[in-house]
Amino acid sequence: MNLNIFTRQDTRIALFILPAIYGFNNYALFGSIYFERWDVFLLATIAIILIWTPAYFLHAVPALWLRQRFPQVRQTAMRLCLAWGIHIVMSSAVILGCFYGYKWLHFPGFVFDSGRLQLTLLLTAVINLIVNVVHESIYTFEQWDAALREADQLQQANLRSQLDGLKGQINPHFLFNALNSLSSLIEEDPEQAQQFIDEMSSVYRYMLRANETELATLDQELAFTRSYFHLLRTRHGDHLQLDEFVSDQYYSYLIPPLTLQLLLENAVKHNVILPDQPLCIRIETRDDGKLIVQNNLQRKNSRMLSTKVGLANIVTKYKLLGEGDVAIEDEEPYFTVTIPLIKV
């Protein structure tokens, strides 16, 4: 039997409480004769263990149901009162069954005493209250401890995410490629070179501001993404395509900054981009308030070592915000990321 069904301390609580329950109930049933006759002591102890052990753990069933039905900390008092009432009924049924069952069976050494029965029922109600308070106190402490540990883990993940974001703001590899592209354009097409400089300036200005805010509007992210995509396309040419199908009603919705940039960067980094194998990236909104970023899969033969930092950053940010889960699907022929949009 798995005893750890109510709290993580169930085994210890049961080992402490059950012997007390056995002794209390047998003394209530038999009085001092329970300790005076070895045959009564032996038979009564075996009987009470067989009766009260399953009954004790059966008490956890309504308690667990109440915990699922009323899980909030502010509902603790109501949950405790309801559990106490149910447990009083359950315990009373067992006690009445023992008193009247022993009387009917002519259990050795048992003499029915209505006064002892009433006192037992009263004391059992008190014991049930104490046991429920103990369980709820331990459960509340466990939840508090788990919340602290989760908050600490999320804080560490957030700090790592911010550090990775800062590192990514001035990505040497990206900057090197951008300057190479600019160098070629200056001689070949000065007008396009000027446009490239403007877009590059917009990209880095947005990146440098990104960590100053938790959220950006989808409209702002899309504008930045277009500038970033312009730099990528200058390098890769028409073999890199970006299609937007975004409903106007979602422009004011919010997402963590640099989310789309990380997804574009991920797509370009891990897929082949050739004249006969163009990479197509699609950004679209769904009617349920989700944003989908999808690209066709054509993985590079010599796979680059992926740390999955970009995707992990996005997942972590949404977990910290508590605004829904990020869904990632990596199945042929598409790589798809579904992101919740946050309503203002």
Side-chain angles (χ1 to χ4, degrees):
M1 178 184 294
N2 181 13
L3 301 181
N4 296 313
I5 54 177
F6 201 70
T7 71
R8 292 198 299 269
Q9 301 297 324
D10 268 2
T11 302
R12 294 179 181 177
I13 295 173
L15 291 174
F16 177 77
I17 290 179
L18 278 174
I21 290 177
Y22 301 151
F24 166 76
N25 278 274
N26 273 334
Y27 186 77
L29 285 161
F30 296 93
S32 61
I33 196 175
Y34 173 64
F35 299 104
E36 295 170 355
R37 288 177 50 183
W38 68 268
D39 57 330
V40 173
F41 179 86
L42 182 61
L43 289 173
T45 300
I46 294 173
I48 209 69
I49 289 173
L50 294 176
I51 294 169
W52 264 107
T53 302
Y56 174 85
F57 290 106
L58 192 62
H59 280 57
V61 175
L64 289 172
W65 180 84
L66 287 170
R67 188 166 293 166
Q68 294 172 352
R69 180 67 179 82
F70 307 105
Q72 303 297 327
V73 175
R74 57 185 174 81
Q75 297 173 315
T76 299
M78 177 176 63
R79 187 171 61 240
L80 178 60
C81 290
L82 290 173
W84 184 36
I86 295 171
H87 289 163
I88 287 175
V89 172
M90 294 176 68
S91 297
S92 298
V94 177
I95 291 168
L96 289 169
C98 287
F99 269 84
Y100 286 98
Y102 281 22
K103 177 183 178 182
W104 180 72
L105 291 170
H106 301 289
F107 198 96
F110 176 76
V111 177
F112 184 86
D113 187 326
S114 59
R116 282 209 309 264
L117 172 59
Q118 294 174 10
L119 181 60
T120 303
L121 291 173
L122 177 61
L123 291 176
T124 298
V126 176
I127 292 172
N128 268 299
L129 177 61
I130 294 172
V131 173
N132 274 279
V133 169
V134 169
H135 275 294
E136 284 295 339
S137 299
I138 293 174
Y139 174 73
T140 301
F141 175 78
E142 289 177 351
Q143 294 299 102
W144 173 76
D145 183 59
L148 282 181
R149 283 187 281 107
E150 183 179 5
D152 183 60
Q153 292 171 358
L154 287 175
Q155 184 178 24
Q156 292 181 23
N158 186 38
L159 290 173
R160 286 195 297 269
S161 174
Q162 291 182 9
L163 179 59
D164 292 329
L166 288 170
K167 290 177 180 177
Q169 285 178 355
I170 309 296
N171 188 313
H173 183 69
F174 175 75
L175 183 60
F176 177 78
N177 289 330
L179 292 176
N180 271 346
S181 300
L182 177 60
S183 177
S184 301
L185 286 174
I186 288 174
E187 293 184 4
E188 297 174 6
D189 191 338
E191 185 175 342
Q192 190 177 358
Q194 181 59 50
Q195 184 182 359
F196 185 91
I197 291 173
D198 293 341
E199 299 291 358
M200 188 173 175
S201 174
S202 297
V203 165
Y204 276 95
R205 186 165 53 247
Y206 188 87
M207 282 183 167
L208 291 170
R209 290 201 312 259
N211 279 334
E212 297 176 4
T213 178
E214 287 187 344
L215 297 169
T217 65
L218 180 58
D219 191 27
Q220 291 171 327
E221 273 287 289
L222 288 171
F224 161 70
T225 301
R226 295 183 196 110
S227 295
Y228 181 75
F229 180 75
H230 180 87
L231 303 185
L232 293 174
R233 192 164 187 177
T234 300
R235 181 185 175 202
H236 295 284
D238 295 338
H239 323 314
L240 181 62
Q241 301 171 15
L242 177 65
D243 297 318
E244 289 182 23
F245 299 93
V246 178
S247 176
D248 294 348
Q249 64 177 315
Y250 294 115
Y251 280 137
S252 62
Y253 281 53
L254 304 173
I255 62 173
L258 301 181
T259 296
L260 297 180
Q261 181 264 337
L262 288 170
L263 294 176
L264 262 65
E265 182 181 49
N266 187 71
V268 172
K269 179 179 178 181
H270 297 290
N271 291 279
V272 172
I273 305 175
L274 295 172
D276 58 338
Q277 289 182 284
L279 180 65
C280 303
I281 304 173
R282 179 186 179 97
I283 301 175
E284 65 176 320
T285 50
R286 290 194 327 211
D287 293 338
D288 61 352
K290 300 288 180 68
L291 182 72
I292 297 176
V293 180
Q294 185 181 78
N295 65 269
N296 53 313
L297 276 173
Q298 39 197 39
R299 294 187 177 94
K300 295 178 179 178
N301 291 330
S302 56
R303 296 220 183 150
M304 299 181 65
L305 181 62
S306 174
T307 60
K308 299 184 179 179
V309 168
L311 293 174
N313 281 351
I314 295 171
V315 172
T316 299
K317 286 178 180 177
Y318 269 93
K319 192 171 183 180
L320 286 165
L321 292 168
E323 294 290 347
D325 296 325
V326 176
I328 301 172
E329 299 175 40
D330 187 2
E331 296 181 4
E332 298 284 353
Y334 298 109
F335 182 86
T336 307
V337 179
T338 304
I339 301 168
L341 293 173
I342 303 169
K343 192 172 182 179
V344 182

